């Protein structure tokens, strides 16, 4: 039932690395607590996410991709706040100690950690049904964190990247649609190894009036911004179809692809708002962070999300059930 | 398979409380990240623990006691570093949403949280085999954190409270021994609602040369101090028997009780070292923090743990297997 001594050594072997390089980390893994020192004038940003086998991933997933994703979804929360990553803890329940699995998982985890100069500073390993819980710590200049509140009527609404591909992969994975090899690989990469938009989040400090990351579905997550800000939104229903190749649109139909755009989750893109006058500055932030950004609509004084067509006419919103706060 | 919308509202009802009172918390639960501001000159201390049903607790445990214990074992890590608690995150995998269970769990959790003025600032709730992961955040003046390294030959070794009762409860729970009702209640309280020694940890800043909390067994955890400090220890084998009532000693025998003292885990007491010249200061720290503290031995220049009897003669150490680092 337990994990044996030699197995703890093995786990140590994969997770206990040399002295951390992030300057905020003053005592890393191995004591009762890790010690960190955010820079003067900085607030600490903290977020936790738990991934459960069978719900967030299948036992057959490549462990390196799982290691990447477990950290990516947490880094995405820091990105949505405009925080700079410092450190993370990892608590891991394992049904058994499998060196191959641990080697793959830790490789994927640390590749992404190193890319963001974020250090594993502590955690826990125990025996149990496979479960990963990561807590990330970042820092942001006091008062400059991006939150869900702050969107104002007239603000433009933007989204990064290509939201919808992760859901497209899920539909293919579930056998509801068939994709050719190239499209499947592209979609699968979005689902299994999302890129947390940390650089964009940093570039949006002092610029975005609100921000959130897309985990549950674009309109649902935008709904959190609207609720926290006390405003509504007008969204161009076809605004994100252009990212899909014409062959895919012909094969699958635009209805499915619109659903993937607006109701698909697991993309970990950023949805944010900015004053209309800041349009050039947003373009610059996108360029500086090498992150594609697209305007998808506008904040309104009302409430709820209203879909419009290219000519500005209202459309029925079939994704209402994904918008937790629409009234 | 999932948790439905109304159920999220229910979970919110139990965990989303009014604006936090801890002054370090500047943005609490409800956004992508929480925001904290440690006081100037303070380091941040962070630790994560995961509790799994069937391994750390049984499904039959009173949920209020489980809520207490889940936070207590994490606060104990802050105590062992001499850190002052600020905030925690809670990630929870639940097989089903049971309002009675959530009411009890959150009551036990927040009673202890309020006693230590520590705020729930974020987390995650998902569907899965019952699993609780808490990350605690505390602060400690830069350079004053207690660590496992720092014990020096000649230092006295102390332990707080009454280590051994939690293991005694486990033995009774497993049916290996029988306790009368009063002793069972006393032992069970140690196992199910341990008191994290936060006040003692704070009082030991600048005084203890090393510190750790007892989770896996006293000698095993002391072994971590010895390993990190590059020293050995001489321990009085019968030094903790005096805490047990004479009737219990007669009924169970001292061999079992010594095993509970030295190899029993789950006590969450502090084991620490201090210079022999600091004996009065340690007594004062114990009084000031209203925490019983007992001297159990001395740090030696050698390595490993050596048990001695009351006359100073060496005894065989039958708990060697619990001492991960003895050589």
């Amino acid at each position: 039932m337990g994990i044996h001594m030699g197995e703890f050594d093995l786990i140590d072997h994969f997770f206990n690395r040399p002295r951390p390089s992030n300057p905020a980390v003053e005592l890393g893994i191995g004591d009762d607590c890790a010690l960190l020192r955010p820079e003067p004038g900085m607030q600490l940003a903290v977020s936790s996410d738990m991934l459960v086998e069978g719900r967030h991933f299948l036992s057959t997933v490549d462990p390196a991709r799982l290691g990447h994703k477990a950290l990516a979804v947490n880094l995405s929360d820091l990105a949505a706040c405009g925080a700079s990553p410092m450190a993370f803890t990892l608590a891991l329940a394992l049904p058994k100690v499998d060196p191959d699995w641990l080697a793959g998982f830790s490789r994927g985890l640390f590749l992404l950690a190193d890319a963001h100069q974020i250090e594993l500073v502590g955690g826990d390993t125990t025996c149990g049904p496979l479960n990963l819980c990561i807590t990330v710590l970042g820092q942001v200049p006091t008062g400059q964190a991006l939150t869900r509140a702050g969107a104002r009527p007239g603000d433009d609404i933007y989204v990064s990247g290509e939201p919808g591909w992760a859901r497209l992969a899920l539909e293919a994975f579930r056998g509801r649609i068939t994709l050719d090899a190239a499209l499947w690989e592209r979609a699968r990469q979005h689902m299994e190894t999302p890129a947390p938009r940390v650089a964009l989040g940093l570039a949006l400090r002092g610029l975005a009036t609100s921000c959130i990351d897309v985990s549950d579905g674009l309109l649902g997550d935008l709904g959190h911004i609207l609720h926290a800000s006390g405003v509504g939104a007008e969204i161009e229903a076809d605004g994100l179809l252009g990212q899909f190749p014409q062959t895919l649109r012909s094969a699958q139909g635009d209805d499915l692809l619109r659903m993937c755009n607006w109701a698909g989750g697991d993309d970990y893109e950023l949805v944010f708002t900015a004053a209309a006058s800041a349009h050039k500055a947003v373009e610059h932030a996108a360029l500086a962070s090498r992150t594609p950004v697209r305007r998808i609509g506008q904040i309104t004084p009302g409430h709820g999300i209203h879909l419009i067509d290219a000519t500005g006419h209202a459309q029925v919103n079939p994704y209402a059930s994904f918008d937790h706060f629409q009234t």
Side-chain angles (χ1 to χ4, degrees), chain A residues 32 37 86 113 226 267 277 283 298 303:
Chain A
D32 290 273
R37 185 154 51 170
M86 291 192 299
L226 303 184
D267 289 306
S277 60
E283 270 183 8
Q298 197 172 39
H303 55 76

Side-chain angles (χ1 to χ4, degrees), chain A residues 203-221:
Chain A
L204 291 176
R205 283 180 186 168
L207 184 59
T209 52
S210 70
C211 188
I212 192 170
D213 70 324
V214 179
S215 55
D216 297 332
L218 208 165
L219 293 192
D221 290 315

Side-chain angles (χ1 to χ4, degrees), chain A residues 190-269:
Chain A
H190 280 264
M191 179 174 70
E192 293 189 341
T193 53
R197 300 301 192 181
V198 172
L200 178 62
L202 295 177
L204 291 176
R205 283 180 186 168
L207 184 59
T209 52
S210 70
C211 188
I212 192 170
D213 70 324
V214 179
S215 55
D216 297 332
L218 208 165
L219 293 192
D221 290 315
L222 175 61
H224 293 295
I225 285 183
L226 303 184
H227 180 72
S229 303
V231 293
E234 212 168 63
I235 298 288
E236 293 158 34
D238 293 345
L240 289 170
L241 283 178
Q243 64 177 313
F244 295 116
Q246 193 56 54
T247 51
L248 181 66
R249 293 180 63 174
S250 305
Q252 306 300 344
D254 283 350
D255 280 352
L256 173 82
L257 297 176
R258 266 189 297 258
M259 183 280 286
C260 291
N261 285 153
W262 303 120
D266 239 18
D267 289 306
Y268 302 98
E269 297 296 347

Side-chain angles (χ1 to χ4, degrees), chain A residues 100-121:
Chain A
D100 289 340
W101 191 92
L102 285 167
F105 179 81
S106 59
R107 188 174 64 247
L109 183 82
F110 285 122
L111 267 174
L112 186 65
D114 290 344
H116 290 275
Q117 289 182 276
I118 181 170
E119 302 293 339
L120 176 63
V121 294

